[in-house]
Amino acid sequence: MRYSQLMLPTLKEDPAEAEVISHRLMFRAGMIRKVAAGIYSFLPLGLRVIQKVERIIREEMNRAGAQEVLLPCVQPAELWMESHRWQEYGKDLLRIEDRHSRDYCFGPTHEEVITDIARREIRSYRQMPLNFYQIQTKFRDEIRPRFGVMRCREFIMKDAYSFDTDEVGLGKSYQKMYEAYTRIFTRCGLTFEVVEAETGLIGGTASHEFMVLAETGEETIVSCQSCNYAANIQKAEAKRTRLRARSAKKIINPLKKVETPDKKTVEEVTKFLKVMPEDLVKTLIFETEQGVVATLIQGDHEINESKLGNLLGCDEVKLASDDLVLEVTGAPKGYAGPIGLSVKVIGDYAVESMVNFVTGANEQDAHYINVNLGRDVKVDQFADLRMVKEGDLCPRCGKSLNFSRGIEVGHIFKLGTKYSKALRATYLDENGREREIVMGCYGIGVARTAAAAIEQYHDEDGIIWPMPIAPFQVIVVPVNSKIEALMETAEEIYRLLVNNAVEVLLDDRDSSPGVKFKDADLIGVPLRVTIGEKNLKKGLVEIRRRKNGETTVIEKDRIVEAISALIHEEVKGSLHA
RNA sequence: CGGGGCGUAGCGCAGCCUGGUUAGCGCGCCUGCCUUGGGAGCAGGAGGUCGGCAGUUCAAAUCUGCUCGCCCCGACCA
């Protein structure tokens, strides 16, 4: 490709709206342009990167035995009603009407459509296992799109769906995808971590997220320093502390009510009573589909609403309104406590080992001290209800946990029979019995993967693409376009490299060298061949590596072998990342 | 949806508070000269219904109302 013929509009200045580094650089490098909030066009350079990522995905999906299909983006409401997601999905689902006022949606994902195919085509256990995947544009009407291509409304996604006869088969399909994903992100040159995750709206029994480690990541991930435990913060658990030594020894004091005028928050109350936050139990009232429940959490801990929801089997749990708190506890918010409550009380495991703690007295301006379980408080159930925090220990091995930030680029789910049951996708087993197909689904955010690579690999001059997903592997820069010898050599090297299947961009613009160098750095091409007058007189050209600025001068006749060796080395390097 | 903010040339911004000639600046773009190993220099030039609609006024980018779009923080989410 010749630069002069490529639509590659680079910008010197950062666009005002771009906040995160990948957004800024994709914009400045002429990869993307915004069309509307959360909706982008990909310009040629951006598309090249997307296609490189897609190619790696296709190769690995095919290797894992998956078959590519193409599904519709506009889907009939009926299918979504059958799975109940027409109601459940909420406002993220972009609903549209056709000219006959029939309801459709723009597909945010494709479980319904693929399950529809499965129920029509799969009859027998002999036809499984099967795995279909598609790479296409989806739409989720995000409340607030942000971070450029990382969190958009319209986005390119690879989704795969597996169909098995039973859980054992699903386990195998899931494992294959786990391995394929590991290969995909490794081949893209990314540093990532696989974490246990929540299943969320998609539903299902088990799930892992593939997280690219980056400061700007939206997700917090927790991982063990010594074993391989790693989980999304939403899912992460901490080792349960046994009855603490200090608690075990402590004398149980008599319950006492104390005045706490105007002290509502954990901080205010503990400061006023001169105790530590971990000596207080906060009582949080929740409104759920199962009715109102009270939860008991150690003062310095945070409730994890999704854990509570999972425990109760509810899709939605909502912190009670001030009015409801008043109704349930008889006191305004800030004075709730478990003593005398008539609703179901669920305690976090950490509370189980506490003695002589502080709680609200269900009475304005009053708290109890020396509260104890059993004697004063009846807890219906203990469970893991809290967020893991710094200092907690690994639930598997007891060593310390690390906290880091990640960008979710892939997510795999064991769906089970949720959709096959709803859409009645069944098959006949060996005994002629009708059974539900067991499904899994597996997604990768394609553009997000490219953006994550930029978050991970950039410097103050621009993008530093990993070789396998770089839009071009090499850029050829003649320093002075007015000197014929330089241009001729550049052309010659360009042709040689093209003929040897190297992806090369020839900067044939009549610009000053500074401009060409700056653009080359900005768009992040891994290797630059610089052709300057002095070197050329000695029959030499220079090769510069974007990632470390390292330059080597070689005889121009050896250019093809030198470049090939470097490409090979960098591709291999990312495989071992 | 709540809170904050922004819409002026392709991009980044000033002007608005305190209304008044031809609406500026930097980058980019066009022409010419010159220059060529890290976003050169000089000269000339093109490009704006100041987001839209309505109002106040002799007069609106500037004041008022409505509206549309966008950004940031939060709740939500891949």
Side-chain angles (χ1 to χ4, degrees), chain A residues 7 63 71 75 137 140 167 236 275 278 388 463 512 551:
Chain A
M7 172 51 82
R63 183 207 297 266
L71 304 173
Q75 307 174 11
T137 296
R140 293 184 195 170
E167 281 292 329
V275 297
E278 51 264 44
V388 171
I463 303 168
S512 66
T551 62

Side-chain angles (χ1 to χ4, degrees), chain A residues 87-133:
Chain A
Q87 295 86 269
E88 285 172 11
Y89 216 98
K91 293 204 172 163
D92 274 13
L93 186 64
L94 179 67
R95 292 151 217 259
I96 46 188
E97 242 180 39
D98 72 3
R99 68 203 304 167
H100 306 292
S101 321
R102 283 188 291 244
D103 289 323
Y104 291 84
C105 65
F106 198 106
T109 173
H110 287 72
E111 281 83 4
E112 281 78 2
V113 172
I114 199 77
T115 309
D116 182 54
I117 292 178
R119 70 176 168 186
R120 291 166 192 275
E121 311 306 331
I122 300 178
R123 299 275 137 72
S124 153
Y125 71 96
R126 293 171 194 273
Q127 289 171 282
M128 289 180 278
L130 276 172
N131 189 329
F132 298 116
Y133 73 98

Side-chain angles (χ1 to χ4, degrees), chain A residues 17-20 23 36-40 91-92 139-154 218 448:
Chain A
E17 66 188 35
E19 199 69 8
V20 295
H23 187 191
I39 300 177
Y40 289 86
K91 293 204 172 163
D92 274 13
F139 193 97
R140 293 184 195 170
D141 199 357
E142 280 284 327
I143 298 169
R144 187 154 88 83
R146 62 187 121 174
F147 303 147
V149 128
M150 290 231 272
R151 174 159 230 84
C152 344
R153 296 195 292 170
E154 186 173 302
E218 284 191 86
R448 185 185 273 189

